[in-house]
Amino acid sequence: MHSRPVLPHSVTIRDVGPRDGLQPEAPVPVERRIELVESLIAAGVSRIEAVAFVSPKAVPAMAGAAEVLDGITRSEAVTIAALVPNLRGAEMALESEVDELTVTLSFSETYNQRNVKMSVAESESAIADIVRSAAAAGVPVDAVVSCSFGSPYEGDADPAEVVALAQRLLDGGTTTVTYADTTGMATPRRIHDLADALDSAGLLGPSTGLHLHDTRGTALANAFTALERGISRFDTAVGGLGGSPFAHGAGGNLATEVLVAALDDAGVSTGIEIERLVDAALLVEELVGRPVPSGVAHQGPRTRRSAPQG
Ligand code: ZN
């Protein structure tokens, strides 16, 4: 007799669709980005990466971050995060009273250079400045370590080295660390490898998050492997859009509705109402003007009753 793996009772999902999802797209007007965030809130999503305070010249789709934040109905129940690349961005985000800052650096030296034109060490020191300013404002900082499972430039990432980088960030005052599979190189086996390394370092706990991309179709399997290891915090994007403009063929994020539908079926609570989330995914489709790459967005959860097609 095999026993079933024990999954966490609940998970926290941060929807990064308004940021990671829309970032590589043609710019969507501010009012419609507000509408997307509001539709996620209406579905019960309690953490949302809504904007990035980056140069509008470099990333036109993220222009108007302060205006988007101004337009969102804020409540204690919802954590609104902003991605910030530097101290100036952090200061602007704090002026807009965000609840959380996200910062990124890459485990891959080459990717980091291409993404932010800094070495990994330079990014670490930029993050230290941001952490100081956020701490003064009482705002938590989540560091997203991109290419945590490898990069197209350097190949596989050594989990022990990834964890050592995370430990330095946490020692420096970063509140939480999220391990990002930026180019879809993670597999269930490699989720176990990272979980083993986190466990050895005493870091396998609620502060640990995963940011999954579905480039090679492994994202949902990776999420469930992580759940079996007790990881219960995930970044996903409504509609499954996304993908770094700096990593060719990066592929979309794990779609929020795909994860939520599977978690609902597994009896793991997310606080999110699947049919309203599907409405948000269909709104994304309207905003980008093409079908989103998510079966759940189009067919609904497995229990939805509708006429079979084809
Ligand atoms: Zn991403």
Side-chain angles (χ1 to χ4, degrees):
M1 262 295 276
H2 288 278
S3 59
R4 296 188 182 199
V6 177
L7 304 181
H9 291 296
S10 66
V11 307
T12 304
I13 291 177
R14 175 170 62 188
D15 197 296
V16 297
R19 202 281 302 166
D20 205 340
L22 293 185
Q23 181 172 286
E25 301 291 332
V28 170
V30 163
E31 319 78 76
R32 304 235 64 195
R33 285 157 62 199
I34 294 168
E35 190 185 337
L36 175 59
V37 173
E38 297 282 355
S39 75
L40 291 170
I41 294 172
V45 180
S46 62
R47 286 183 82 190
I48 301 168
E49 191 177 76
V51 294
F53 281 88
V54 292
S55 151
K57 259 208 308 217
V59 191
M62 289 293 103
E67 289 81 354
V68 171
L69 292 175
D70 271 355
I72 301 170
T73 314
R74 306 289 290 276
S75 89
E76 295 260 300
V78 180
T79 298
I80 298 292
L83 177 75
V84 298
N86 49 39
L87 190 56
R88 177 81 193 106
E91 282 164 354
M92 289 195 286
L94 293 170
E95 272 166 37
S96 289
E97 296 185 343
V98 292
D99 305 305
E100 179 187 49
L101 297 182
T102 49
V103 296
T104 64
L105 84 172
S106 181
F107 180 73
S108 155
E109 198 59 60
T110 309
Y111 182 88
N112 208 65
Q113 287 283 356
R114 293 197 184 197
N115 194 27
V116 292
K117 299 184 177 65
M118 288 192 276
S119 69
V120 175
E122 285 167 339
S123 279
E124 284 186 63
S125 88
I127 287 171
D129 292 340
I130 293 170
V131 164
R132 266 191 298 277
S133 127
V139 171
V141 177
D142 180 49
V144 179
V145 179
S146 62
C147 303
S148 279
F149 299 88
S151 81
Y153 310 110
E154 288 97 351
D156 283 333
D158 177 348
E161 287 178 30
V162 173
V163 170
L165 171 59
Q167 184 69 69
R168 288 201 300 279
L169 293 165
L170 291 166
D171 290 345
T174 298
T175 319
T176 50
V177 174
T178 300
Y179 302 86
D181 184 22
T182 313
T183 62
M185 289 175 71
T187 61
R189 171 198 150 188
R190 287 162 202 282
I191 297 289
H192 278 301
D193 291 345
L194 179 66
D196 287 346
L198 287 166
D199 205 9
S200 306
L203 291 182
L204 194 55
S207 76
T208 302
L210 281 185
H211 175 117
L212 299 167
H213 281 257
D214 203 30
T215 317
R216 294 175 174 84
T218 56
L220 186 61
N222 292 339
F224 268 73
T225 304
L227 283 166
E228 290 176 20
R229 296 300 300 268
I231 293 172
S232 60
R233 192 164 63 74
F234 296 94
D235 278 0
T236 57
V238 59
L241 289 188
S244 167
F246 304 101
H248 179 69
N253 287 276
L254 173 57
T256 310
E257 62 277 14
V258 166
L259 180 60
V260 170
L263 291 172
D264 280 349
D265 186 56
V268 177
S269 135
T270 62
I272 300 172
E273 208 184 308
I274 186 68
E275 290 288 359
R276 297 192 83 171
L277 183 61
V278 166
D279 290 343
L282 296 177
L283 172 60
V284 168
E285 203 160 272
E286 192 187 318
L287 298 184
V288 301
R290 63 169 196 284
V292 292
S294 145
V296 174
H298 302 126
Q299 304 302 326
R302 54 184 288 287
T303 50
R304 185 195 277 179
R305 288 166 187 268
S306 57
Q309 304 192 338

